[in-house]
Amino acid sequence: ADPVSTSCTILELSSRAVPNFASFRVSVLGSNLPSENITAQLFDAAGVHGDVDVQVAVEEAGSSGVKLQLELSDPSALVTGEQYGVRLLANQALACESHPKLATFYAHGPITVTEVSRPVGDTIFNAYGFDQIDLGGDGIFLASNSDVVVRFSSPVAGEWERVASGSMVAAANELRVTTTTPAVPLPDDWLVSCPDTQRPVQSGSCIPDIPAKVALSLDGGLTFSAPFDITFVYVRPVKVGFLFKTGVDDFGWSAQVNQARTEIEGIFGNAVNASTYFINIPEGDFESLQPNVGNTFATGTPVPERVTDTDGTERANRYYTGIAVMRRMCDEDFDIIVPTTFGFSKMARDMGDYIGCQLAGDGQTLSDKYTTFFFGIGTIGISDVLSRAYVKAFQTRYLAGLTAAYELKRQRAMLVEQHGEGYVVENPVCVGFIAANPGNVRGVNAFARGCREVDPECIVRLVFLGTFYNPAAERDAAAFVHNVGKCTVVIQHTDSIEPQLYFRDAGAYSIGYNYDLRTYLGDSVLTSERIFWAPMLAHSIRQLMDSQRVPSTRAAMTQLSDDLRYGLDRDGLGLATYFSPVIPQYGQAHINRRIAELAQRSDDEAYRGIFCGPDMKKSWVMKTADGTAASAVIGYCGENPNWERLEDQSVRSWNPTHFWDADGTFLSPNDAITETDCLG
C-alpha cells in the first residue's frame, strides 16, 4: 500500500536508547507526521530482523510531533552489545523517506557493579573529590563514552546525588569504567570538635565517615545498575605554597608558574589549597655575605636579617627572607613548598635539615611533626625532601628556530626585491640570543639547529648576561644585538619582556618566552615558547594525596618523584596557539607538523629527534671575537653582564667535545658526522 505521507520530516528523535526491557518510549518531532496505522521494523547490520516484531502505540499526537511507545515481542532474541535500529512505517511503507531510521540502540542485559577501586589499590575515597574510581562487574559491554554515566548518592545533606561522565578502559581482559569522584557535601559538624583543626586524624568523632552509593549506566542514564556501597572519608587538603622572585604579573616566568598555581586549584578544587604565595623574594643562593649558603641548618650557622658589606655598609641579607618564609610554611604544616627559580636551589636543600620540615622521629607522632616536601621548579639538586621539575626546553627552542628562520628568509627576500638580484647584504640578517649563562648551551644549539634547518644562512649571535632576571641589563642586551649585531630577531633565556619591548619599538621581531606575548605586544612577536608546569605539579600532588588518606602511610613517605622532565609528549611545553601573520602559512604548517612528530617521541628519542643525524653542522654557535673554541665557553659571571664581541664569520671553528657517537665517545675535529652521532 502507499504510505500515508512520503514528505514528512523528522526533526528530532529523543531516543538514543540502550533498553534492556521489552518496551520503551520515544518522542518524534517534525512535520506531516502520521498519527495512525503506525508500525515499526527492527533491523540490524544484516537487514530487517524478522524474529522480533515491534508494536507501536501512539500515546500523544500534536502539531509538533507524536509520542510513541514501542514494544519488542521477544527482547531475549537480541544479542548483547549488537547495534539495532527501528524504522517507522505507516500502512507498511516507510513513513518518512528523508529519515528512515527512528532510533538506534545497543541491546544489553542487566549490569551489576561488583567492585570499585582506586589505582593505588585501596577503596578509601576523598570527601573533597578528585579521586579516580574504577568500576568493574558483570554485564559491562563496550559502549560509547558519551553513554557512560556514573551516579553517586548519599543520605548526607538531604539525599545528595551527583552524576559524572566516565570512560571505558580495558584491564586484564575485562571491561571497566573509570571516572573521577565528585566532592561530597560535608556535614555541618565536621571539624568542629577536633582538637587540632590544622591536622586532625583521618576519621573519628569530629570527622565521621560518609556513607554513599555508586551506580553505573551505559545507556546515557536511562537505566542504572543496582547501587554499590562506598565510603567517603576526610582527607586533609594538600597545602601548597609558592615562592616567586618577582611579582606574578611580569608576563614571564613567574606569570607562567602562577598560571599553574591557579590551574591546580581548578583541577583539584577543595582537595588542594594552593592559595598561599609570596612575591619578590630575593634569590638567596647568590648572597655572598651569608656563610654556609645551602648548609646553615646542618652547621648551625645563624642567618641574620641584615649583613655588613666589605665597605662597612649594612644592607638586607638576601638569604634571610626566603629561609624565613619557607621556615614559616614548614611550621604551618604545608605539604609542598614550591621554590620557582634556579636561585632558590641551595635554600631549598638547606631547609631539608630544618627540624620543622622533617619526618616524625622516634617518640614523635604525626601530630608532633609533619613532613614538608619541596617541589623545585627550575632548581638543581635533590635531597630527602627536595624534588625538582623542568622541561625538555630544547624542543621548543628548536621549534622557535624554525619560526625565526622563516622570518629571516622573508627579510632577505625583501632586501633582494628592493635592490635587485645579485644584491649582497652588507649586514646579514641574524638572530640575537640573550642567554643567562653557558648552562643554556643545549637550548642555544637546539635553536640554531632549527634555524639552519630552514635557513642554512641563519646566523645566531649570542651574549651572556650572568643573570636570569635583570630588566635593565636585558634591555641593554637587546639594544646591543640590534644596534651592534644588526640582528632583526631576538630570543632569550632570561625572564623579563624587555627584549621583546625593545625590538617591537625598533620595528623588529622577537620570540616570546613563557607567556604568550603576542597577546600583549602584537604581531612583532613571531611566536612564544611556553612551559606548562601544572601537569608535573599535579602529578606530585596526586602522589602525595594517595598517601595522605592513611596517616601511617603519609608519615612514612620520604620523597616525591625526584626529577620530572616533561616534553611535548606529556604536554609540558609548547608554542603559543597562533603565529604572527608574517610567518607564511606553509611555514606554520611545517612547524605544526614537526610539533606533532616530536610529540610522539619520549625519553631519549625526544633528544635524538633534534640533535642526531648526518646533517648536523660542525659549527659551534658559542664563539667570541677571535673565534677560538677555547674561549667559546665563558665562566659564570654573577650579576655582571659579560659583553662578548660578535663572532668572526670567516672563522668556522667548532667545539668537538660537544659531539659524540652512539657509544658516548667524543668525536675528534676531523671525524665525519654520521647518522648516529649527536650534538650536545
Side-chain angles (χ1 to χ4, degrees), residues 102-120:
L102 176 63
T104 59
F105 59 87
Y106 292 90
H108 69 78
I111 297 173
T112 304
V113 175
T114 59
E115 62 170 316
V116 297
S117 64
R118 297 192 317 112
V120 295

Side-chain angles (χ1 to χ4, degrees), residues 400-615:
L402 299 177
T403 307
Y406 281 108
E407 173 57 18
L408 296 185
K409 293 183 72 173
R410 185 186 74 88
Q411 293 179 15
R412 195 178 297 110
M414 289 176 59
L415 290 172
V416 172
E417 184 179 350
Q418 292 172 8
H419 299 281
E421 291 292 337
Y423 172 72
V424 178
V425 181
E426 181 178 354
N427 293 302
V429 290
C430 65
V431 181
F433 200 123
I434 301 171
N437 60 59
N440 306 145
V441 293
R442 177 172 288 182
V444 176
N445 283 340
F447 178 83
R449 174 83 172 95
C451 194
R452 291 171 182 169
E453 182 178 311
V454 170
D455 180 7
E457 299 180 51
C458 170
I459 297 172
V460 181
R461 289 176 169 163
L462 177 69
V463 294
F464 294 110
L465 285 189
T467 177
F468 285 100
Y469 184 75
N470 186 326
E474 290 174 73
R475 187 172 182 84
D476 287 345
F480 179 76
V481 296
H482 183 264
N483 298 318
V484 180
K486 306 301 181 185
C487 292
T488 53
V489 178
V490 71
I491 185 174
Q492 90 222 69
H493 193 117
T494 53
D495 294 349
S496 85
I497 64 171
E498 290 299 324
Q500 289 80 10
L501 283 169
Y502 186 92
F503 267 61
R504 182 201 63 177
D505 295 343
Y509 294 88
S510 64
I511 302 289
Y513 188 39
N514 295 301
Y515 198 81
D516 183 2
L517 288 179
R518 184 169 170 265
T519 62
Y520 178 57
L521 298 179
D523 293 337
S524 66
V525 180
L526 303 175
T527 188
S528 293
E529 299 179 63
R530 304 199 62 191
I531 299 176
F532 307 117
W533 299 108
M536 284 179 282
L537 187 52
H539 169 86
S540 291
I541 288 174
R542 287 193 181 95
Q543 184 183 6
L544 194 61
M545 288 174 67
D546 284 340
S547 70
Q548 195 92 309
R549 67 197 68 245
V550 180
S552 59
T553 302
R554 174 66 173 87
M557 188 171 181
T558 59
Q559 194 175 38
L560 301 176
S561 297
D562 61 355
D563 194 0
L564 296 176
R565 290 184 180 268
Y566 280 18
L568 290 167
D569 60 322
R570 302 183 71 177
D571 298 323
L573 73 173
L575 293 185
T577 305
Y578 300 105
F579 294 90
S580 169
V582 301
I583 303 300
Q585 289 295 321
Y586 66 86
Q588 296 182 31
H590 169 220
I591 298 165
N592 285 327
R593 283 197 302 273
R594 288 298 284 142
I595 292 174
E597 292 166 0
L598 292 173
Q600 301 303 312
R601 293 175 176 264
S602 301
D603 303 322
D604 289 344
E605 281 303 306
Y607 175 84
R608 300 186 68 83
I610 293 174
F611 287 113
C612 302
D615 58 338

Side-chain angles (χ1 to χ4, degrees), residues 13-63:
L13 302 173
S14 68
S15 175
R16 58 185 179 91
V18 193
N20 61 355
F21 37 81
S23 64
F24 57 101
R25 291 175 172 80
V26 296
S27 295
V28 185
L29 304 179
S31 61
N32 299 322
L33 293 172
S35 59
E36 56 185 17
N37 298 323
I38 300 174
T39 57
Q41 286 180 331
L42 180 72
F43 63 93
D44 55 22
V48 176
H49 199 294
D51 296 335
V52 180
D53 295 328
V54 183
Q55 301 299 321
V56 181
V58 178
E59 291 192 335
E60 183 179 333
S63 59

